[in-house]
Amino acid sequence: MTGIPLAVAIMTDETGWHTSRLKRALRERGALGRCVDLADCRFDTTHAPHGLAIPGYGRGLPDAVIVRGIAGGTFEQVTVRLGILHALRELGVPVYNDARAIERSVDKSMTTFLLHRAGIPTPPTWVSESAPFAQRVLMRECAKGHDIVMKPLFGSQGKGIARVGASSEGCEPLPALKAYGQLAYLQRFVRPVSEPGYDWRVMVIGGKAVTAMRRISEHWVHNVAQGGRCEAAALSEPLATLAERASAALGLDYAGVDLIPCDDNSFGATVIEVNGVAAWRGLQSVTPFDIAGCIVDDLLNRRMALGRSTGNIKEVA
């Protein structure tokens, strides 16, 4: 393959700052990045022997894939889009992050289960289709002096979350489950240790925590998309260890791990989210660390080398 640049498909439903950074990092390392929307890919057993059609690659396949975004859609549409990623992995194409890891991180209930199973500090959580059960949890937590955070099972950037707790008239009612897909995902609210409150976003790439920031907000939601302010943060050993363990528990190649300070464990923090299709524009604005370059280096030097060592990588013509 001398003289032929590696062809890397960047799977995304929208192009912009992140994809430009990834394409530049690939180009600087002699590889060629092309943006592809999973919605435009298809299973097609008449198109090529391998049974896939990936726009821009003719009857062939990319040498590797970076997953930057998956568009929402019907259950059937999302299933097939993830199926394309599963199929690419089956065909020996390194997928970064692969479909199984993304499924684990997108589903908050599975994320919580895997974190809990791995012994990683995360707030007490309840997930149920039963509104009466969810209301009982809420009342019990209120009686103990705890507020509850209700989140959409699939969601990001702090959208759609609600905080429910005690009021002057007693416990507030549980929001209607219809707006949450008839499912209650309830998590005990972690009270801030300072004013204003903050959390951390730690970027983990190739199993190693590489950079971090604090997100500070007068509001209890700290996401940048909800008005949180980014500030550079030292990456302490406990914080790095906790983020790395969280990423490993979900099997992610790269992850944005959100942690909030607390005083009930030796880490001084608890994991509240693990993002498998993590954005890093806010983090990049407060760190000189080249995040896109690190992602590409990890893909080319570790992930693709791992495929070659196991024989699970496609041959390049």
Side-chain angles (χ1 to χ4, degrees):
M1 63 179 244
T2 303
I4 302 176
L6 285 172
V8 179
I10 303 170
M11 296 299 187
T12 181
D13 58 318
E14 57 181 36
T15 58
W17 186 89
H18 289 88
T19 54
S20 295
R21 288 292 182 112
L22 288 171
K23 289 172 74 173
R24 185 177 71 184
L26 286 162
R27 188 167 58 249
E28 289 172 349
R29 290 153 179 81
L32 180 63
R34 178 192 296 272
C35 292
V36 178
D37 192 337
L38 278 166
D40 295 329
C41 301
R42 67 182 188 275
F43 289 97
D44 188 342
T45 57
T46 69
H47 177 72
H50 50 69
L52 292 181
I54 310 297
Y57 295 94
R59 296 181 183 275
L61 296 170
D63 298 307
V65 166
I66 298 173
V67 181
R68 180 55 240 143
I70 302 173
T74 65
F75 178 76
E76 290 82 0
Q77 288 173 318
V78 173
T79 296
V80 170
R81 290 166 194 169
L82 289 168
I84 295 289
L85 298 179
H86 279 296
L88 286 164
R89 180 184 178 183
E90 291 296 318
L91 291 167
V93 178
V95 179
Y96 190 102
N97 290 306
D98 70 25
R100 187 183 182 200
I102 290 173
E103 288 166 350
R104 289 175 162 193
S105 65
V106 168
D107 176 357
K108 288 185 176 66
S109 62
M110 181 55 69
T111 296
T112 302
F113 166 75
L114 292 171
L115 293 174
H116 176 73
R117 186 183 182 203
I120 297 166
T122 194
T125 304
W126 303 263
V127 186
S128 174
E129 296 183 36
S130 168
F133 171 81
Q135 186 64 50
R136 289 196 299 272
V137 169
L138 175 59
M139 293 176 68
R140 186 172 69 240
E141 288 294 294
C142 282
K144 295 178 181 179
H146 301 301
D147 288 356
I148 284 292
V149 177
M150 190 167 178
K151 303 179 181 180
L153 187 69
F154 308 119
S156 62
Q157 300 182 331
K159 297 175 182 176
I161 68 176
R163 178 178 166 186
V164 189
S167 68
S168 58
E169 301 177 357
C171 186
E172 294 176 332
L174 186 79
L177 297 191
K178 183 177 180 181
Y180 294 86
Q182 300 297 341
L183 187 81
Y185 178 99
L186 308 175
Q187 196 167 67
R188 183 179 292 169
F189 177 66
V190 180
R191 296 193 177 278
V193 300
S194 66
E195 292 293 339
Y198 68 92
D199 65 9
W200 291 282
R201 161 62 64 91
V202 178
M203 199 75 182
V204 180
I205 299 175
K208 181 177 176 56
V210 294
T211 189
M213 70 173 173
R214 292 202 312 170
R215 300 183 298 190
I216 304 165
S217 176
E218 300 291 341
H219 194 267
W220 63 273
V221 179
H222 304 121
N223 299 74
V224 175
Q226 302 301 319
R229 174 169 54 86
C230 301
E231 180 182 275
L235 190 53
S236 67
E237 184 175 347
L239 204 61
T241 298
L242 197 52
E244 289 167 1
R245 286 179 56 193
S247 179
L250 274 66
L252 293 161
D253 290 310
Y254 79 107
V257 183
D258 297 340
L259 310 97
I260 198 163
C262 66
D263 53 13
D264 62 359
N265 66 64
S266 59
F267 293 97
T270 187
V271 177
I272 53 173
E273 299 278 354
V274 183
N275 302 277
V277 188
W280 66 87
R281 189 169 187 172
L283 177 53
Q284 189 66 80
S285 72
V286 296
T287 179
F289 188 86
D290 181 7
I291 297 171
C294 188
I295 288 172
V296 170
D297 285 339
D298 187 55
L299 168 67
L300 301 180
N301 300 330
R302 179 191 63 87
R303 191 66 174 75
M304 294 189 73
L306 179 64
R308 293 189 188 95
S309 68
T310 60
N312 187 31
I313 193 166
K314 79 181 189 72
E315 291 296 326
V316 181

